[in-house]
Structures are given as C-alpha cells and as structure tokens.
Amino acid sequence: MEKNYRAELTGVFGDPVDGNPTGVMEEAAYRECGLNYRYLTLRVKKGDLAAALSGARAVGMKGFNLTMPHKIDVIPYLDRLTPAAALIGAVNTVVEEDGRWIGENTDGKGFVRSLEMEGISLKGACVTLLGAGGAARAIGVECALAGAEKLTVINRSRERGEELAELISRETPAKAEFCLWTPSVKIPPETQILVQATCVGLHPHGDQKPDIDYETITDRMTACDVVFHPVFPLFLQEARRRGAGTVTGIGMLVQQGALNFELWTGREAPVETMYRTLEAEFGASQQPEKAL
Ligand code: NDP
C-alpha cells in the first residue's frame, strides 16, 4: 500500500488559550498509538469564530475542542447536539461524522470518569457543588445523570445558582437545591462528594481558597477540585487535613481528554500515558502524597 502522509487535524479554539495543556496529552496519546493525528492549540478571538470554523471545514478537521469564549457561540454552527450537551447548553468538543458536526460536552463526563477511576460511585450520592459556571453546570448535569440522588448548588450569584438547581430538578431524576454563598458558608453534613467547581485557587492565584467553613468538611466526604494548576490546591489540602478523600482536577482533565481522543479516533485512549504526560507538565510527581 502507498504511504499516506496526510495528517488528521484536531485542536482547540479559544482566547486566551496559551495556558491550555490539552494538546500536550492528546499529542502524546496520538504518538503512543502510532496515529498520524495533530492537535493544534489555536488562539481564536471572539469575533473570529465563524471564520475559524469555515477554515476547519475547508481543511476537514476530524474534530476540535472549544474553550472560552466559544462554548455557547459555536452551537448555531453545529448539525446536532448530544442530549447532555443540549441540557448543559454548552459544547466543548465537536466531532466530525460524514461531514456533519456533532456537539458534545465531555467536561462533566470526564469528571464522572475521574471518580469512577477512584472507585467512587455516584449512585444515590449527595453531591455539593461550589459554583454554578460552565464547569459546575457540566458536572452537575452529569452527576445527576449518573445517579446522584441530591445536589446542593452553592453559588455567589443567586440567578446562576438557582437556574442550575432548577435545570437539574426539572430535567433529571435527581433533586437539587440552591444555597446562597455567604462568607464561611457551611457544607451540608449529608454531603458525600464535595466539588470545588469555581476558578478560585487557579494559577497564578494558588495562594487563595474558597471562602467556606473548612471545619464542616468531614472524613465521610470526598473533596474534588476542578482546578488542575496547581495540582493540589489549598482547598484539597484543607480537605485532606480534615480526613476527607481527595480527587484532583487533573483526573477530570485527563478523562475528558481521553473521551475526546476516543470520539475523534474511535480507539481506546492510552489514559496512563496521558496522565503521566500531564503529571510531568505540572510537576505532580513532586506532591508529597498521591495527588491524582
Ligand atoms: P465560569 O466563569 O463559567 O464560572 C466561574 C464560577 O466561579 C462561577 O460560579 C462564579 O460565581 C464562581 N466564582 C468565581 N470567583 C469566586 C469567588 N471568589 N468565590 C466564590 N465563587 C467564585 O468558569 P468555568 O466554570 O468555565 O471554570 C471554572 C474552573 O474550572 C476554572 O478554574 C477552569 O480552569 C476549571 N476547569 C477545569 C477542567 C478540568 O478538566 N479539570 C475543565 C473545565 C474547567 P458567580 O456565578 O457568582 O460569578
């Protein structure tokens, strides 16, 4: 058979995008599997999305990720949304299938898979979510679809928090309620899985942590953080000090990257390689204890 030099293109469109590490792990996965795929990290400004998408069509991209500020704006350009992406109302992954573009959201699914990797089940669980932004929305919806019984959404702005709680109660079998975030807010004692889904503590603000009453975190809870840089933020350190289990944002990042890989290539993702690549990128191995 003649040699084929043509590369399949994938990538991410966003602004800012310079600090987005997804390409490092996707390219490592492509190399590991011997696939002639590339992942391009592309800065696309808000007003340039339409032009970038028409370029993506012209060069026949296999699929791509969207990050800020394009996760909602991309929707009118897609042929179909998966049911979860439609519920969440945002798309972070597009997959090309026979010339049609399908919009998916792998953020929340990646989170659920990161819990499964730790042997944590969501069936019948009480989940407390700190935040109601894009990441929290995807996580809340997917936790509810994965069998969580009750979700408490704690958020600073009432409107966003109430909307998420109402969406979950209306569209999924789970019960959800909203709690306004006041200084030193208490974590409900029935919480089994506590998710820090705000951007507080994200590099270069690694010296900050969410303003909650840390004494209300117990050793019956598992604390999870969406922030992955630093790998083990102050929030997780405080939770571990109270005996809680911990799951880092790297787990979610790797698992959503693995889902993207599977959607674009049809192959099983080399998850271990993807973990190790990001671990090296963020110096996770320098953590004193298990951090993934
Ligand atoms: P959004 O801007 O959509 O939402 C931010 C949320 O944080 C809002 O709920 C906001 O509350 C809340 N918030 C911000 N500052 C504070 C504060 N000082 N105290 C309390 N709440 C605060 O951001 P995203 O949801 O898109 O991203 C959130 C984080 O998730 C980022 O750090 C991002 O890097 C991370 N992320 C990680 C992924 C992973 O794979 N690990 C994937 C996707 C995102 P309010 O509504 O009141 O403004």
Side-chain angles (χ1 to χ4, degrees):
M1 198 170 77
E2 265 183 50
K3 197 157 177 159
N4 181 353
Y5 293 99
R6 185 174 61 82
E8 297 288 4
L9 292 183
T10 61
V12 57
F13 299 162
D15 183 29
V17 82
D18 295 11
N20 189 313
T22 304
V24 180
M25 67 172 168
E26 298 291 358
E27 292 247 326
Y30 296 152
R31 274 194 304 277
E32 166 99 7
C33 296
L35 294 168
N36 191 13
Y37 274 57
R38 300 284 184 282
Y39 188 99
L40 306 174
T41 302
L42 299 168
R43 181 174 177 216
V44 175
K45 293 189 201 153
K46 191 160 173 65
D48 290 334
L49 181 65
L53 292 173
S54 107
R57 277 232 188 257
V59 298
M61 285 185 83
K62 254 336 241 184
F64 47 91
N65 290 131
L66 287 311
T67 186
M68 256 179 17
H70 305 309
K71 286 185 176 184
I72 297 170
D73 294 351
V74 73
I75 291 175
Y77 299 92
L78 304 177
D79 295 297
R80 178 168 73 76
L81 295 184
T82 64
L87 261 188
I88 295 162
V91 164
N92 79 331
T93 304
V94 170
V95 187
E96 187 271 339
E97 275 179 26
D98 302 325
R100 291 164 59 79
W101 278 355
I102 319 298
E104 170 62 290
N105 193 315
T106 56
D107 280 339
K109 289 186 174 70
F111 174 79
V112 169
R113 271 196 13 182
S114 76
L115 291 188
E116 285 166 6
M117 296 301 283
E118 299 287 334
I120 298 163
S121 169
L122 281 155
K123 291 262 178 306
C126 285
V127 177
T128 296
L129 264 181
L130 301 175
R137 227 176 136 83
I139 290 171
V141 166
E142 294 290 355
C143 285
L145 295 176
E149 189 174 315
K150 189 182 164 206
L151 286 102
T152 304
V153 179
I154 302 180
N155 200 48
R156 278 184 323 189
S157 65
R158 175 177 288 279
E159 203 184 335
R160 249 173 150 187
E162 275 182 347
E163 205 220 317
L164 176 55
E166 278 166 22
L167 171 83
I168 293 169
S169 293
R170 193 179 61 241
E171 303 287 347
T172 79
K175 291 192 289 279
E177 62 185 33
F178 168 69
C179 167
L180 190 65
W181 193 324
T182 49
S184 298
V185 64
K186 292 187 188 330
I187 303 305
E190 69 275 17
T191 303
Q192 292 163 296
I193 298 169
L194 172 62
V195 190
Q196 194 311 98
T198 78
C199 40
V200 180
L202 179 64
H203 177 80
H205 305 292
D207 57 342
Q208 295 176 10
K209 58 181 191 233
D211 183 8
I212 61 172
D213 179 355
Y214 286 91
E215 296 310 324
T216 57
I217 297 183
T218 72
D219 60 5
R220 292 183 305 280
M221 299 179 189
T222 297
C224 316
D225 207 322
V226 295
V227 169
F228 54 81
H229 188 200
V231 174
F232 213 72
L234 286 179
F235 167 77
L236 289 184
Q237 294 179 29
E238 294 283 356
R240 176 175 282 172
R241 207 165 290 145
R242 272 94 186 165
T246 55
V247 179
T248 69
I250 291 269
M252 172 179 169
L253 185 64
V254 169
Q255 294 299 339
Q256 59 95 6
L259 286 162
N260 298 340
F261 179 97
E262 288 162 12
L263 289 168
W264 295 329
T265 68
R267 302 263 296 257
E268 196 180 328
V271 173
E272 189 65 23
T273 299
M274 297 171 87
Y275 260 119
R276 294 303 150 224
T277 308
L278 278 188
E279 203 180 38
E281 201 63 22
F282 293 115
S285 54
Q286 291 159 24
Q287 293 300 318
E289 294 167 62
K290 181 169 168 282
L292 292 178

